Amino acid sequence: MIGIGKWSCHVDTMMFRGDVILTIADNDGAYAFSAEVPGVKLPEYSVTDIQEQEDGCTLTAVVKTPVLSGKDLPISITFDGDTCTGFAKVPLLGKMKFKNGTRIG
């Protein structure tokens, strides 16, 4: 399993600029994924369809939230040792990039 641990990634959009903490865990052989933003209460969300891609370095998933009812937010995160980069496709905002990701735990 790739990417297991806690990661800090920088996000810079029109609506938000700051760090996002991603936690990727092994849940009995399946991936578990969560996100938090220090000082910000995130809306309820679920992460589904977490898959390791053929390149062996990338995880993809789909985020769903009642705030964007009926919309799927695809995400992709590529890992390289203790660093990562990625993106989420967010309606109205477009591609939200995760930059300068580093393992913090």
Side-chain angles (χ1 to χ4, degrees):
M1 297 184 88
I2 61 171
I4 301 297
K6 207 169 211 183
W7 301 83
S8 177
C9 300
H10 188 73
V11 175
D12 189 357
T13 69
M14 297 181 326
M15 306 296 281
F16 174 77
R17 179 176 291 139
D19 292 328
V20 175
I21 307 299
L22 305 173
T23 302
I24 302 168
D26 177 354
N27 185 14
D28 293 326
Y31 283 101
F33 187 101
S34 65
E36 61 185 283
V37 179
V40 176
K41 182 173 177 9
L42 295 178
E44 179 183 327
Y45 68 92
S46 63
V47 182
T48 61
D49 301 324
I50 304 169
Q51 297 180 18
E52 188 173 318
Q53 297 305 296
E54 289 182 18
D55 67 5
C57 300
T58 303
L59 288 179
T60 59
V62 175
V63 177
K64 297 178 186 236
T65 177
V67 174
L68 296 169
S69 182
K71 303 286 184 190
D72 289 347
L73 287 78
I75 63 171
S76 176
I77 303 171
T78 300
F79 300 92
D80 184 11
D82 288 335
T83 64
C84 69
T85 58
F87 65 87
K89 291 183 182 176
V90 182
L92 303 175
L93 292 179
K95 191 181 274 190
M96 182 176 71
K97 294 181 181 179
F98 303 122
K99 300 177 183 178
N100 304 320
T102 57
R103 184 186 302 270
I104 58 173

